[in-house]
């Protein structure tokens, strides 16, 4: 007889939420986590009073009241509006692309003037059928915005020249013809007081969690322990890469303490020139309105990185080959009624935190 109703592999937002909901339903749940801490990529830690986003900055933003209410029910959430800056050749530019940005680039003051400048640059390029990402971007926003804010950042992100990337990567570049530096359009935006790990830990309270356990190293043993297995890891790894490897992009971080109260104007600054090699600097304390450490600050340089085994997969590579391969693996999973795929790694999609929550809610409704 199985000892547990459900085995949940992974303690990120998806796994922790499903484990919590199943426990509330009276199910006996075991959570296995490969890392030494819960939370997956939203994990945080506190050092010298500063909340550090261990795997890159996270801001919860959503227009789903269901997701927002759930977050607030299991943590204290403080309002936070993300207003990142771009830095290019010694100058700051507001993001997202809005009237403040257009004033900085073109010296214009009205939406009509901004549209006229952009339309004129697009017309000058004369691109009707873009053949690559560079041509696609030029056909959308013209050369000034592209070269200042898109080209270098994108080439660093993908590790290839923009002329070598498919046009399909950029379907649109949002242009906001108002003075509004709020990066997200969502109704609700905030940070968990104390860090997102506190939210995950609250969800997992009273649930058996085993840390430092690699489910795939002893899969048969763990499968025998539960009636059902919810798997939130990499789907190709689940099947031993039998159909081939799915492609990912990874990230590399370099962090340091600075003996100043404030290092940069906002929490996140994107570096949009080809050099330096990092794409952004995060100053962690600026996500926390209650940070009392004014003696020093902790910053992280974020570098895009090619993925290889042993690194953390962050972003899917959305091309035809990977889409077909992911579907083939999902078809394999459907042949095993014991396995339930959940989350971004198992479904090979990028998910924001609120999307992960809502998808966990909907999946839970289908479980026995």
């Amino acid at each position: 007889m199985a000892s547990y109703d459900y085995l949940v592999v992974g303690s990120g937002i998806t796994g922790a939420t499903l484990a919590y909901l199943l426990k509330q339903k009276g199910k006996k749940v075991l959570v296995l986590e490969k890392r030494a801490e819960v939370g997956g990529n939203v994990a945080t830690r506190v050092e010298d009073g500063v909340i550090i986003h261990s795997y890159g900055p996270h801001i919860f933003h959503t227009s789903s009241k269901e997701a927002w209410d759930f977050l607030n029910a299991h943590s204290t959430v403080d309002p936070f509006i993300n207003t990142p800056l771009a830095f290019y050749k010694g100058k700051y530019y507001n993001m997202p692309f809005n009237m403040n940005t257009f004033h900085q680039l073109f010296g214009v003051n009205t939406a009509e003037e901004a549209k006229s400048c952009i339309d004129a640059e697009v017309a000058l390029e004369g691109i009707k059928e873009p053949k690559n990402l560079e041509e696609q971007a030029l056909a959308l926003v013209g050369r000034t915005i592209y070269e200042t804010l898109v080209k270098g950042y994108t080439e660093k992100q993908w590790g290839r020249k923009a002329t070598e990337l498919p046009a399909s990567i950029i379907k649109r570049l949002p242009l906001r013809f108002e003075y509004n530096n709020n990066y997200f359009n969502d109704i609700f935006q905030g940070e968990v007081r104390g860090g997102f790990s506190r939210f995950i830990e609250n969800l997992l309270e009273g649930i058996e969690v085993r840390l430092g356990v690699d489910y795939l190293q002893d899969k048969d043993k763990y499968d025998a322990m539960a009636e059902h297995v919810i798997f939130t890891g990499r789907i190709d790894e689940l099947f031993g890469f039998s159909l081939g490897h799915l492609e990912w992009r990874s990230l590399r971080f370099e962090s340091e303490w600075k003996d100043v109260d404030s290092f940069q104007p906002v929490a996140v600054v994107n570096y949009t020139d080809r050099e330096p090699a990092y794409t952004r600097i995060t100053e962690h304390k600026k996500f926390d309105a209650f940070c009392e450490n004014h003696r020093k600050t902790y910053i992280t340089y974020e570098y895009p990185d090619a993925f290889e085994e042993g690194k953390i997969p962050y972003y899917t590579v959305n091309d035809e080959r990977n889409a077909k391969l992911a579907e083939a693996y999902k078809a394999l999973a459907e042949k095993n009624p014991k396995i339930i795929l959940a989350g971004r790694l198992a479904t090979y999609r990028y998910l924001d935190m609120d999307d992960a929550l809502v998808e966990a809610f909907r999946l839970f409704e289908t479980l026995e």
Side-chain angles (χ1 to χ4, degrees):
M1 293 291 291
S3 304
Y4 301 90
D5 297 306
Y6 283 88
L7 173 67
V8 178
V9 181
S11 67
I13 282 185
T14 298
T17 300
L18 285 166
Y20 168 82
L21 294 172
L22 287 163
K23 180 177 182 289
Q24 295 303 109
K25 195 177 180 179
K27 301 298 182 181
K28 190 174 182 183
V29 182
L30 169 65
V31 176
L32 301 182
E33 171 55 56
K34 186 189 293 187
R35 297 178 187 175
E37 81 243 332
V38 296
N41 285 356
V42 305
T44 53
R45 66 187 191 275
V46 180
E47 293 183 16
D48 204 356
V50 176
I51 300 166
I52 295 170
H53 297 234
S54 300
Y55 303 98
H58 287 82
I59 301 134
F60 195 93
H61 57 96
T62 187
S63 291
S64 166
K65 191 171 186 304
E66 180 184 28
W68 183 248
D69 288 347
F70 186 82
L71 182 71
N72 280 268
H74 300 284
S75 57
T76 300
V77 185
D78 298 313
F80 180 84
I81 301 300
N82 189 29
T83 57
L85 291 170
F87 189 81
Y88 179 79
K89 296 191 182 301
K91 293 183 179 179
Y92 284 113
Y93 297 91
N94 289 109
M95 295 180 67
F97 307 153
N98 71 85
M99 281 304 302
N100 289 305
T101 323
F102 306 145
H103 176 76
Q104 292 154 352
L105 289 169
F106 305 115
V108 298
N109 297 307
T110 68
E112 290 71 21
E113 290 172 324
K115 290 175 184 177
S116 178
C117 285
I118 293 169
D119 289 345
E121 289 201 357
V122 168
L124 194 61
E125 297 297 331
I127 299 169
K128 302 300 182 185
E129 295 183 9
K131 299 180 180 63
N132 52 55
L133 185 146
E134 177 164 289
E135 291 185 357
Q136 174 73 7
L138 290 171
L140 289 170
V141 297
R143 191 161 293 274
T144 299
I145 294 175
Y146 169 68
E147 292 191 345
T148 307
L149 302 172
V150 178
K151 178 180 171 67
Y153 188 93
T154 302
E155 291 184 340
K156 288 188 288 188
Q157 191 74 19
W158 289 96
R160 292 164 60 187
K161 292 182 179 179
T163 53
E164 298 171 355
L165 292 166
S168 59
I169 290 178
I170 295 183
K171 293 182 171 60
R172 57 188 291 269
L173 285 169
L175 301 176
R176 189 180 289 174
F177 293 99
E178 59 181 355
Y179 290 89
N180 180 2
N181 296 327
N182 185 346
Y183 192 75
F184 301 115
N185 291 315
D186 292 304
I187 300 169
F188 308 108
Q189 303 177 42
E191 290 284 341
V192 170
R193 189 177 300 180
F196 283 105
S197 282
R198 184 168 293 181
F199 167 61
I200 300 294
E201 290 162 0
N202 290 342
L203 291 180
L204 294 174
E205 186 175 354
I207 297 172
E208 184 179 351
V209 179
R210 300 184 188 180
L211 299 175
V213 175
D214 188 342
Y215 160 77
L216 293 176
Q217 290 298 312
D218 209 345
K219 183 176 179 298
D220 291 341
K221 167 190 163 182
Y222 292 116
D223 282 350
M225 294 170 62
E227 295 290 341
H228 307 280
V229 176
I230 297 175
F231 183 77
T232 70
R234 289 161 56 200
I235 187 172
D236 54 353
E237 188 177 20
L238 175 65
F239 292 102
F241 310 107
S242 58
L243 303 178
H245 284 70
L246 288 164
E247 294 178 273
W248 299 86
R249 289 290 291 168
S250 189
L251 296 171
R252 178 171 60 85
F253 301 105
E254 294 179 0
S255 300
E256 61 180 316
W257 287 97
K258 294 283 189 180
D259 291 324
V260 294
D261 179 25
S262 176
F263 177 79
Q264 61 190 25
V266 291
V268 177
V269 175
N270 289 355
Y271 285 75
T272 58
D273 202 354
R274 197 66 181 83
E275 296 293 335
Y278 48 83
T279 50
R280 59 183 177 178
I281 297 178
T282 297
E283 185 171 5
H284 298 260
K285 70 191 296 185
K286 285 190 162 63
F287 291 110
D288 178 16
F290 296 90
C291 183
E292 296 181 352
N293 185 339
H294 300 295
R295 297 172 290 103
K296 56 183 180 178
T297 191
Y298 190 84
I299 65 169
T300 297
Y301 302 86
E302 184 174 312
Y303 297 82
D305 199 11
F307 176 75
E308 58 187 42
E309 293 305 317
K311 295 181 180 179
I312 297 173
Y314 283 92
Y315 304 108
T316 56
V317 178
N318 298 320
D319 59 18
E320 186 177 356
R321 176 208 172 261
N322 285 294
K324 287 182 177 179
L325 185 55
E327 289 305 312
Y329 275 121
K330 290 174 190 177
L332 278 184
E334 289 174 1
K335 294 178 181 179
N336 184 348
K338 186 167 189 167
I339 293 287
I340 301 162
L341 302 177
R344 66 181 187 92
L345 297 178
T347 60
Y348 197 69
R349 292 173 303 144
Y350 182 82
L351 295 174
D352 284 326
M353 288 188 285
D354 63 324
D355 296 326
L357 272 184
V358 172
E359 288 205 0
F361 299 156
R362 299 293 83 81
L363 175 58
F364 168 73
E365 292 168 357
T366 71
L367 301 179
E368 299 174 355

